[in-house]
Amino acid sequence: MIDFHSHLDLYPDPRAVARECMTKGIYVLSVTTTPSAWNGSSNLSDPTSRIRTALGLHPQLAHERKCELELFDEHIRETRYVGEIGLDGAPEFKQHWHCQTEVFEHILRTCSKSGGKIMSIHSRRAAASVLDTLRRFPDAGIPILHWYSGNKHDLDLAISSGCWFSVGPAMFLTEKSKALIKCMPRNRVLTETDGPFVQLNGRSAMPWDAQQATVALQNIWNVSQEETEHIVHENFRRLVATHG
Ligand code: MN
């Protein structure tokens, strides 16, 4: 099982959740929202586990944590994974748009300089701008659009520019999202949860709820559960092997 976008460090008891993931053998990309969370988050798991930590600076925090970009640059050599990064065009964050773009561009520049990273990217109400910016930093690495919720036109652009996608159980609740998922190339799709932010049946999504996304994908792709798991695992293996 793969949860390619989890905020492990934001659960009430991160250590217990990390332990459970290790016991269950789940591949987890543990994303962070600030560079100062890097040390604590990467210490949640041991290097022999299937948990990897991503260095991030969330677009919703860009205006408050821009000062941590220096710290971001210091930690970049310690990981192949970057996230959560991106842009957020929702009304409550649009006022900090300038700051968001500055932070996002800085991060992409840093990723380019360090040879390219595997990046988990937030693009809520900002898909076109995210893609524009990515285009200007072609050496930044492999972008994985997490919880893509833009329009079909931008999805086509994302696909043709080589983006990957991570999809979570909450995305399968709307017909619009399901239609988008149907258009994503099967060989570039991974599962995620975005827990603990995402609520499933009135509780926080846990990394093992990524299984629900696998089941939902199985229905969309119209293949067996075994085949779905195989496809997602092969994608994951290919991503990590070629760009890791
Ligand atoms: Mn997230």
Side-chain angles (χ1 to χ4, degrees):
M1 201 190 309
I2 297 161
D3 182 355
F4 210 72
H5 186 105
S6 169
H7 295 267
L8 271 192
D9 61 341
L10 300 180
Y11 284 96
D13 188 350
R15 236 160 243 292
V17 181
R19 232 178 358 249
E20 185 76 25
C21 290
M22 290 189 259
T23 307
K24 293 184 190 296
I26 306 173
Y27 291 93
V28 178
L29 185 67
S30 165
V31 296
T32 54
T33 54
T34 65
S36 51
W38 167 258
N39 284 332
S41 298
S42 46
N43 284 332
L44 286 173
S45 56
D46 67 78
T48 60
S49 76
R50 292 170 167 178
I51 301 174
R52 293 293 175 272
T53 310
L55 175 64
L57 205 168
H58 199 288
Q60 295 174 353
L61 299 174
H63 59 293
E64 289 170 5
R65 302 301 185 101
K66 202 177 106 179
C67 52
E68 292 188 28
L69 281 175
E70 212 173 304
L71 195 55
F72 185 97
D73 294 352
E74 279 173 30
H75 287 306
I76 193 73
R77 282 168 217 89
E78 298 167 46
T79 182
R80 305 156 156 183
Y81 303 94
V82 161
E84 180 166 1
I85 58 166
L87 297 172
D88 191 309
E92 63 268 44
F93 300 105
K94 199 70 200 248
Q95 55 177 315
H96 305 298
W97 186 253
H98 179 72
C99 207
Q100 289 191 44
T101 54
E102 214 178 303
V103 166
F104 189 38
E105 287 171 14
H106 178 106
I107 288 173
L108 294 177
R109 196 170 300 117
T110 298
C111 291
S112 307
K113 280 187 203 157
S114 53
K117 300 289 173 182
I118 294 172
M119 307 177 287
S120 186
I121 300 180
H122 175 109
S123 59
R124 185 172 71 143
R125 299 218 198 170
S129 304
V130 163
L131 294 171
D132 272 346
T133 316
L134 286 171
R135 207 167 300 123
R136 290 172 25 233
F137 296 91
D139 302 323
I142 301 300
I144 294 123
L145 300 185
H146 122 77
W147 198 328
Y148 179 81
S149 58
N151 60 34
K152 173 73 167 64
H153 174 78
D154 291 335
L155 176 64
D156 289 339
L157 275 180
I159 293 168
S160 62
S161 59
C163 290
W164 286 55
F165 304 90
S166 58
V167 302
M171 282 179 77
F172 293 89
L173 303 175
T174 71
E175 290 306 317
K176 184 202 159 199
S177 275
K178 281 201 275 186
L180 291 171
I181 293 166
K182 208 172 264 182
C183 299
M184 295 171 183
R186 275 181 211 192
N187 61 352
R188 279 191 251 156
V189 171
L190 298 171
T191 48
E192 65 157 61
T193 63
D194 204 14
F197 293 124
V198 162
Q199 294 286 307
L200 294 173
N201 306 319
R203 57 162 182 91
S204 287
M206 304 305 287
W208 39 95
D209 291 319
Q211 183 61 30
Q212 294 184 32
T214 309
V215 172
L217 274 178
Q218 167 191 340
N219 295 329
I220 284 188
W221 290 346
N222 200 20
V223 294
S224 67
Q225 181 169 341
E226 204 179 24
E227 179 66 8
T228 309
E229 279 166 9
H230 178 74
I231 294 170
V232 175
H233 272 265
E234 277 305 304
N235 291 347
F236 174 77
R237 258 172 26 89
R238 215 171 58 249
L239 177 75
V240 173
T242 51
H243 307 290

